[in-house]
Amino acid sequence: MFGYTLYILLFIVAALCLIPGSILVIVGGVLFGPVAGTLISLVAATVASALSFLLARWLGRDLLLKYVGHTATFQAIEKGIAQSGSDFLILTRLIPLFPYNIQNYAYGLTAIPFWRYTLISALTTLPGIFIYTYMASELVAQGITLPFVLKLSLAGVVLFALVQTAKGYARRKRVELPTKEI
């Protein structure tokens, strides 16, 4: 139990400090195996993203509204979040456009509701967390073997299909994804 708690706390601190969580998810797979590692990493990632969101909401949203809330650009972003915030959140979680940890803070500055954000974030991170955890666990158990390489290739295909499905969903819902770097 102590190991799980320590892992979750380290994961949260790392996420708040913008350290990529994928490294910790891999460590979770090595230390705890595919099932426990996935569940613990999911809890840790969800709590970390929720805390980042709340920090941004509490510390930054009022300042943001005060200084740029009146601008046309900010109003357009707020309108987009109000109209299709859940869809946009799903897409930005499934399609790696922006670093995950930065998204946590950025969404805290928007008007998207906290519980919707938290639930969608948890659901959309689950596939990647499972694949990373499972593959790390398999690598430790079997080493680099032909079955491992085949499973890794299959995992890559699954992640690619997930991204393509999300892009298709975006086109059907007419959610516009950014085409330029911010």
Side-chain angles (χ1 to χ4, degrees):
M1 188 56 131
F2 176 75
Y4 295 162
T5 304
L6 180 61
Y7 174 81
I8 290 170
L9 291 174
L10 288 172
F11 198 113
I12 291 168
V13 169
L16 291 172
C17 295
L18 302 176
I19 296 170
S22 56
I23 296 165
L24 288 167
V25 170
I26 291 168
V27 169
V30 170
L31 293 176
F32 307 119
V35 176
T38 296
L39 294 175
I40 293 165
S41 292
L42 180 63
V43 167
T46 302
V47 171
S49 66
L51 287 175
S52 300
F53 177 95
L54 290 173
L55 276 172
R57 176 74 44 100
W58 292 333
L59 299 176
R61 179 131 172 100
D62 289 341
L63 282 173
L64 185 70
L65 288 171
K66 179 180 176 181
Y67 290 106
V68 298
H70 62 282
T71 65
T73 301
F74 184 80
Q75 292 298 321
I77 291 169
E78 285 288 284
K79 182 180 177 189
I81 291 292
Q83 290 175 345
S84 57
S86 296
D87 294 332
F88 195 76
L89 176 60
I90 290 167
L91 295 172
T92 57
R93 290 306 203 198
L94 293 176
I95 301 171
L97 294 172
F98 308 110
Y100 183 85
N101 290 337
I102 292 174
Q103 287 184 46
N104 295 332
Y105 288 107
Y107 279 108
L109 298 173
T110 70
I112 193 166
F114 171 75
W115 289 110
R116 181 182 315 159
Y117 164 82
T118 302
L119 178 63
I120 290 171
S121 291
L123 292 174
T124 55
T125 58
L126 180 58
I129 287 174
F130 173 72
I131 289 172
Y132 275 66
T133 304
Y134 179 75
M135 294 312 301
S137 179
E138 285 285 303
L139 180 60
V140 169
Q142 298 180 5
I144 299 177
T145 61
L146 181 60
F148 173 79
V149 171
L150 292 174
K151 289 176 185 177
L152 185 61
S153 299
L154 178 61
V157 168
V158 168
L159 286 176
F160 178 78
L162 187 60
V163 168
Q164 296 310 310
T165 301
K167 286 181 178 180
Y169 177 78
R171 284 190 294 276
R172 280 191 304 283
K173 294 287 249 172
R174 292 191 171 91
V175 176
E176 293 184 32
L177 296 173
T179 56
K180 296 180 184 179
E181 288 186 27
I182 294 179

